[in-house]
Amino acid sequence: AKDESRIRNLNALLRSLLKEPEIAGNLEDSLPHLLSASFAGCDGEELIRLIGAKGFSADTGSACTAMDLQPSHVLAGMGVLTHGNIRTTIHPDTTEDDIRAYADAINSAVAELQSRSDR
């Protein structure tokens, strides 16, 4: 609880640094440490792989059935993009530098995948 405000600020920073995400839910009504963002023209599994190659961990698919990489029925029900989705958890020891580096890794991966889909 003591870290909630700091973590919510890190979540806000991440949201501001991502290029053209479709974010599920607004920060004020969401858990401060969670972010679900989707990116047009991307495959979630590939996005996770590219982010992972840069040393970061995130999830894709449905949070309800973590081992199932099918699009999230919750995101579909919210009317947001279900493909190219990543779920991020911000931990108490996460720093602003971590968030900036993570956002750079995501933006780079998204740009690479979107350029592949344009071909």
Side-chain angles (χ1 to χ4, degrees), residues 42-102:
C42 294
D43 174 79
E45 289 179 69
E46 279 295 302
L47 194 53
I48 294 301
R49 186 185 64 74
L50 291 172
I51 293 168
K54 295 186 185 253
F56 295 98
S57 178
D59 294 304
T60 189
S62 175
C64 301
T65 53
M67 298 307 291
D68 182 359
L69 294 177
Q70 295 301 311
S72 167
H73 66 278
V74 174
L75 294 178
M78 293 173 69
V80 298
L81 186 64
T82 60
H83 289 81
N85 174 265
I86 57 171
R87 295 186 327 272
T88 300
T89 302
I90 301 171
H91 297 277
D93 59 343
T94 302
T95 67
E96 185 175 315
D97 287 341
D98 295 333
I99 293 295
R100 291 183 183 283
Y102 181 56

Side-chain angles (χ1 to χ4, degrees), residues 11-47:
N11 192 325
L13 176 63
L14 179 57
R15 289 167 183 248
S16 73
L17 294 172
L18 296 177
K19 295 180 181 169
E20 300 184 27
E22 185 169 331
I23 295 177
N26 62 53
L27 183 56
E28 296 75 31
D29 296 328
S30 300
L31 293 172
H33 65 291
L34 299 176
L35 174 65
S36 178
S38 299
F39 299 88
C42 294
D43 174 79
E45 289 179 69
E46 279 295 302
L47 194 53

